[in-house]
Amino acid sequence: MVLVRGAAVALIASGLMLSGCGGVHLPSMGPRAPNVDIQQGIGVNAYLWRATLDTLSFMPLLNADPWGGVVNYDWYSDPQSPDERFKATVFILDTRLRADALNVTVTKQVRDASGQWTAAPVSAQTETDLENAILTKARQLNLSNAG
């Protein structure tokens, strides 16, 4: 029993000491960003990551995993269309800035006559347009840091 209690105290103490080492550090998009060791910072392309957050900043961020490359956005309703809402998930699949390193999925719901939200189809073009917007922003970020 004493051994278990001692191990628990040591584990808690080491956790507290390590927590003082600092928080999560993401690579900056400053002039040294292309030389960032992706494995030390985030597990995906830093330009795609930043471009995703910038491009979809109008949607409420639900959660983001910079090591796994998944960004989930919560429901968003355009004030001009309050009877429809969208949710998005972005998957960044590679450390390289490539078109196939990105996948966006969008879910749409519409409010029916009784006020309930029901699933509605999303045009594949909507997802493609979002992917292209993110890729364009990522390329702009890359070019602005190269020069």
Side-chain angles (χ1 to χ4, degrees):
M1 182 68 174
V2 173
L3 181 61
V4 172
R5 185 175 298 150
V9 169
L11 182 62
I12 291 170
S14 64
L16 289 174
M17 289 188 310
L18 287 175
S19 68
C21 292
V24 174
H25 299 285
L26 298 178
S28 70
M29 294 306 292
R32 296 188 46 89
N35 297 328
V36 169
D37 181 3
I38 297 294
Q39 299 308 317
Q40 294 293 342
I42 62 177
V44 295
N45 183 278
Y47 297 116
L48 287 173
W49 181 260
R50 181 80 253 156
T52 296
L53 296 176
D54 288 352
T55 302
L56 296 175
S57 63
F58 65 93
M59 297 182 78
L61 183 64
L62 189 60
N63 59 45
D65 177 7
W67 292 274
V70 180
V71 184
N72 290 307
Y73 291 92
D74 207 357
W75 291 110
Y76 168 77
S77 290
D78 184 354
Q80 303 297 324
S81 306
D83 289 332
E84 64 180 18
R85 64 184 185 174
F86 298 90
K87 185 185 254 193
T89 301
V90 179
F91 300 93
I92 302 172
L93 308 168
D94 203 335
T95 57
R96 296 171 290 176
L97 180 52
R98 301 167 38 124
D100 63 352
L102 186 68
N103 184 6
V104 176
T105 60
V106 178
T107 304
K108 178 180 178 181
Q109 290 184 340
V110 294
R111 194 183 330 242
D112 62 17
S114 67
Q116 298 295 317
W117 291 103
T118 58
V122 177
S123 166
Q125 189 62 43
T126 301
E127 294 173 344
T128 302
D129 289 346
L130 283 173
E131 288 174 0
N132 288 336
I134 293 169
L135 286 165
T136 299
K137 178 68 175 176
R139 289 182 185 119
Q140 290 170 347
L141 290 169
N142 187 16
L143 288 174
S144 70
N145 283 330

